[in-house]
Amino acid sequence: MAKLIVNVDHIATVRQARMITEPDPVTGAALAELAGCHGIIVHLREDRRHIQDRDVKILRQTIKTKLNLEMAAVANIIEIAKHVKPDMSCLVPEKREELTTEGGLDVAGQKEHISNAVRELKSSGITVSLFVDADDNQILASKEVGADYVEIHTGHYSDAKTRKEQDSEFKKIAKGVEYASSMGLRVNVGHGLNYRNTQRLVPIKEIEEFSIGHSIIARAVLVGIDQAVREMLEIVQ
Ligand code: PXP
């Protein structure tokens, strides 16, 4: 059965809107765990727009399930990861001007750089995932640089405006998952998944983790995090 990994970045987004101490993503993570999720993920961005170093450190000490750290492949964040030792690091591209991660990592175009990052993280005992588009070139490059997992980017699927467009993006994801799995990569998915579009991906049995943030936290604002997580768990499982 697939796992639900809850991204609590946007609890921190609300906190940082006032630059104070609440709401605390650490408390949100604990409540999400009590509701039954299988792990917590946070993105420590270089601009620290939501998650702060303190959050990652405390989450490492308090999380009872697993902690995934989404991060750019840059030296100072890699140092933090090596110190904090999340269960998994997911390397993503990062631009300061973007609202959220906009696309997969160009692994094929920077193989040496990514392979060094993967080696450093793995040498600290951290499992490494690369966030990539459902593109054979990028998936093959991910295998070549030594990643354990790929997280297939579902943003284009989630953004599809018509059923036809969604069908076409769905097929790309299904094909990408199959290709990654056929070469021994383990597979997660994420970005833009919500209470309406996640169900369709659930029958793809190779998918191990659904990494979902915004839709769960958005619902949690209205119905509470316990109910929001339980409802998403029902879909994923
Ligand atoms: N996976 C990755 C690699 C991401 O960058 C994000 C956004 O932080 C997510 C999953 C979760 O996306 P969303 O918040 O749209 O559910």
Side-chain angles (χ1 to χ4, degrees), residues 46 71-79 91 113 117:
E46 289 185 85
M71 53 184 270
V74 296
N76 63 332
I77 303 279
I78 291 174
E79 271 318 300
L91 298 181
H113 175 61

Side-chain angles (χ1 to χ4, degrees), residues 11-232:
I11 299 179
T13 302
V14 176
R15 177 189 62 192
Q16 296 311 114
R18 286 290 169 95
M19 301 296 233
I20 51 173
T21 56
E22 57 190 9
D24 193 333
V26 174
T27 312
L31 292 171
E33 282 194 318
L34 288 174
C37 77
H38 304 94
I40 299 295
I41 183 161
V42 289
H43 184 176
L44 184 67
R45 295 186 78 105
E46 289 185 85
D47 63 10
R48 305 296 198 273
R49 67 173 72 160
H50 38 52
I51 292 296
Q52 305 297 307
D53 300 55
R54 161 267 182 210
D55 302 327
V56 181
K57 281 189 201 134
I58 302 179
L59 284 167
R60 176 67 294 178
Q61 291 164 19
T62 54
I63 287 301
K64 308 287 187 295
T65 52
K66 65 178 297 217
L67 177 65
N68 292 358
L69 182 66
E70 196 183 318
M71 53 184 270
V74 296
N76 63 332
I77 303 279
I78 291 174
E79 271 318 300
I80 293 172
K82 284 169 70 175
H83 183 70
V84 170
K85 294 194 192 300
D87 298 288
M88 179 187 287
S89 277
C90 177
L91 298 181
V92 299
E94 202 173 290
K95 292 192 217 122
R96 277 178 192 248
E97 61 279 12
E98 69 193 354
L99 287 179
T100 179
T101 314
E102 284 169 353
L105 192 63
D106 180 14
V107 184
Q110 42 177 348
K111 267 166 89 175
E112 195 181 335
H113 175 61
I114 300 297
S115 120
N116 290 338
V118 170
R119 191 171 341 101
E120 270 207 63
L121 291 163
K122 285 179 75 162
S123 70
S124 288
I126 303 166
T127 300
V128 180
S129 175
L130 302 179
F131 181 59
V132 292
D133 288 328
D135 173 298
D136 286 0
N137 250 345
Q138 299 296 346
I139 294 169
L140 175 62
S142 301
K143 178 70 184 172
E144 288 169 350
V145 299
D148 303 293
Y149 281 77
V150 282
E151 178 177 324
I152 302 284
H153 178 218
T154 51
H156 303 304
Y157 163 80
S158 302
D159 289 341
K161 295 281 179 296
T162 61
R163 180 70 191 189
K164 198 168 159 229
E165 208 185 312
Q166 197 201 58
D167 286 350
S168 145
E169 294 300 331
F170 173 82
K171 280 185 200 137
K172 286 186 205 164
I173 293 170
K175 210 170 132 278
V177 171
E178 197 187 318
Y179 182 58
S181 174
S182 75
M183 63 177 66
L185 283 162
R186 299 173 74 177
V187 185
N188 300 330
V189 291
H191 212 281
L193 297 176
N194 61 35
Y195 293 83
R196 295 171 297 283
N197 62 24
T198 300
Q199 179 75 61
R200 192 169 181 193
L201 300 176
V202 173
I204 306 178
K205 62 179 190 326
E206 292 88 354
I207 298 174
E208 294 189 24
E209 294 179 356
F210 286 80
S211 175
I212 308 182
H214 184 271
S215 63
I216 294 177
I217 303 307
R219 182 165 290 211
V221 169
L222 303 176
V223 305
I225 195 159
D226 185 82
Q227 186 176 326
V229 171
R230 285 178 200 276
E231 286 176 17
M232 189 56 89

